[in-house]
Amino acid sequence: MLKVWVLAVVLATTALGQGTKWEPRFAVERIAEGVYALIRREPASTWFTPNNVFVVGRSSVVVVDSNISSEHTREVLDALRKLTDKPIKYVVNTHWHEDHIIGNRVYRDAFPGVQFVGHRSTLKDLPEIGGANRKGSLQNGRGFVGLLEGKLEKGENLEGQPITDEERLGYASDIKLVSGYLAESKDFDIILPTVLVDERLELDLGDRKLEVLHLGRAHTGGDIVVRLPKENIIVAGDLLVHPIPLVGSTSYPLEYAATLERLRALNSKTIVPGHGPVMRDAAYLDAMIELLTSIKRQTETAFARGESLEQMRASVDLEPFRKRFAGDSQHKSLIFKNYVTLPAVAAAYKQLSEKKEAKP
């Protein structure tokens, strides 16, 4: 059985009577010789910081993804230094969303020669779409924290229902993540990729080689995955997110299922998702393929009937999938609504409209 380390990486001290409780923010799981997955322990909610992966080679290291803040990434770097003193040669950012890139500066400062690997489209999307997203987050972040604090005080959730313990944990996690992001915002240092991927790139660590693959548009236009062929491991980024998929507003729902099918065809025995536990079979991947296939089919049918976006929102039925992914959870149901139902239909409608306009 693979050994799991929970390193001394902590949230903050929580007073319990006269003592102090230390709560780890991630566990470090050895998934192959020299390959470690850092699996986040924050509860599923509306703000995130991702899993990370270390691949330790003969003389250097590849790190997959940084985090939502420099604070989080410094903790990840501390974890790496407990495992090896080898320098980081490459940081692979699986896509340009902020929770995966804000902490890049920590690696640049610690290792001046480090190279940042990203899809070519990141050069445009990170400063343009990402810049607009950052502006919106900064404008709304304080208000969102205040809203959550008020809901916790009132004992109700964001939809006015009595709050559950799961929601309390999720809101508290959101408050910490948003607050940390805002604290760094006045000193953001957005680092663009220095090594670009179009379809495939090989990274050579001497005793092992990694493939960086762009399998198609999905969660964003520039998702890349890291494959270790010898170990049969895939680091999937946010193509896969557990327990609720993150389709998102910058997604390509008409292509997402096909991209996941290509991921499925790689037949990896171990998959590290962008968020959630290490996966050792394809059950969850298959469930996401079914979801995205249904979104594509339903939105295309609705668009062909001439439906507006508002009409499409009413006609596309994802309730069976909400039940499948969220079950009876109020909190997970809200996440599904915010990150699947609403943005997926809107993004599909946008794609369909652009296709129609592009026809001669």
Side-chain angles (χ1 to χ4, degrees):
M1 186 171 65
L2 294 175
K3 186 176 180 181
V4 177
W5 291 271
V6 178
L7 300 181
V9 180
V10 297
L11 280 168
T13 57
T14 303
L16 295 176
Q18 295 181 346
T20 299
K21 179 181 178 183
W22 295 87
E23 299 182 11
R25 288 213 266 206
F26 55 74
V28 181
E29 182 174 345
R30 179 181 178 274
I31 56 176
E33 180 63 33
V35 184
Y36 304 88
L38 282 71
I39 304 302
R40 303 302 309 188
R41 292 186 175 275
E42 290 90 356
S45 202
T46 59
W47 272 63
F48 322 91
T49 196
N51 296 332
N52 307 96
V53 171
F54 303 147
V55 182
V56 182
R58 181 181 298 146
S59 58
S60 60
V61 179
V62 171
V63 174
V64 182
D65 280 326
S66 61
N67 303 88
I68 196 170
S69 71
S70 294
E71 173 196 1
H72 284 81
T73 301
R74 280 192 291 269
E75 293 172 344
V76 171
L77 178 56
D78 287 345
L80 176 64
R81 283 172 165 154
K82 289 178 173 66
L83 298 169
T84 181
D85 60 359
K86 296 173 183 177
I88 296 174
K89 186 175 183 180
Y90 298 104
V91 173
V92 180
N93 295 125
T94 57
H95 60 293
W96 55 267
H97 284 168
E98 293 184 354
D99 57 320
H100 293 253
I101 61 98
I102 292 294
N104 279 351
R105 64 191 299 176
V106 172
Y107 297 121
R108 181 205 57 197
D109 293 346
F111 305 96
V114 68
Q115 297 290 307
F116 294 93
V117 180
H119 190 264
R120 185 175 300 276
S121 63
T122 304
L123 293 176
K124 182 174 186 292
D125 291 344
L126 181 52
E128 294 184 7
I129 307 173
N133 286 353
R134 283 188 293 280
K135 183 177 179 180
S137 296
L138 296 178
Q139 288 175 339
N140 300 319
R142 297 289 180 200
F144 184 58
V145 168
L147 174 64
L148 293 179
E149 290 173 338
K151 292 295 184 181
L152 287 172
E153 186 175 346
K154 290 180 181 178
E156 66 180 30
N157 68 11
L158 289 170
E159 297 189 330
Q161 302 163 320
I163 197 168
T164 65
D165 289 343
E166 182 183 31
E167 288 166 330
R168 286 186 182 279
L169 290 172
Y171 293 2
S173 177
D174 287 340
I175 289 168
K176 289 177 182 176
L177 289 173
V178 177
S179 297
Y181 173 86
L182 293 175
E184 186 164 355
S185 64
K186 56 183 173 294
D187 192 30
F188 275 156
D189 189 357
I190 304 302
I191 297 174
L192 294 171
T194 56
V195 177
L196 300 178
V197 181
D198 290 306
E199 294 183 2
R200 181 184 181 276
L201 175 73
E202 184 174 273
L203 301 179
D204 190 349
L205 291 183
D207 56 339
R208 69 191 338 151
K209 294 182 180 180
L210 294 72
E211 297 174 342
V212 183
L213 305 172
H214 175 60
L215 301 175
R217 300 195 299 184
H219 177 63
T220 71
D223 300 289
I224 54 178
V225 303
V226 177
R227 180 173 181 247
L228 285 72
K230 182 180 177 181
E231 297 84 358
N232 205 12
I233 294 170
I234 284 281
V235 186
D238 283 3
L239 289 182
L240 285 181
V241 173
H242 182 280
I244 305 297
L246 298 184
V247 180
S249 60
T250 58
S251 65
Y252 293 82
L254 303 187
E255 301 161 57
Y256 205 144
T259 299
L260 291 180
E261 291 280 11
R262 296 183 195 104
L263 180 67
R264 181 74 163 85
L266 295 174
N267 292 316
S268 296
K269 68 178 182 180
T270 303
I271 304 175
V272 182
H275 308 266
V278 174
M279 300 176 184
R280 304 192 187 280
D281 60 47
Y284 190 83
L285 172 56
D286 289 340
M288 280 195 61
I289 290 172
E290 290 182 41
L291 166 66
L292 272 301
T293 299
S294 180
I295 291 170
K296 180 179 187 295
R297 176 183 54 78
Q298 290 191 64
T299 55
E300 287 179 336
T301 300
F303 194 83
R305 290 195 298 261
E307 291 186 5
S308 65
L309 174 57
E310 291 71 24
Q311 291 170 326
M312 188 181 290
R313 288 194 190 281
S315 66
V316 171
D317 180 15
L318 298 180
E319 179 61 13
F321 293 100
R322 185 207 61 76
K323 290 180 180 178
R324 185 170 179 177
F325 287 97
D328 296 327
S329 167
Q330 286 183 175
H331 191 47
K332 292 186 180 71
S333 292
L334 178 65
I335 299 170
F336 190 92
K337 177 181 177 182
N338 285 350
Y339 286 101
V340 181
T341 307
L342 293 177
V345 172
Y349 185 84
K350 180 174 182 275
Q351 277 194 275
L352 289 161
S353 298
E354 289 172 348
K355 285 176 64 176
K356 181 178 179 180
E357 292 173 2
K359 287 184 178 180

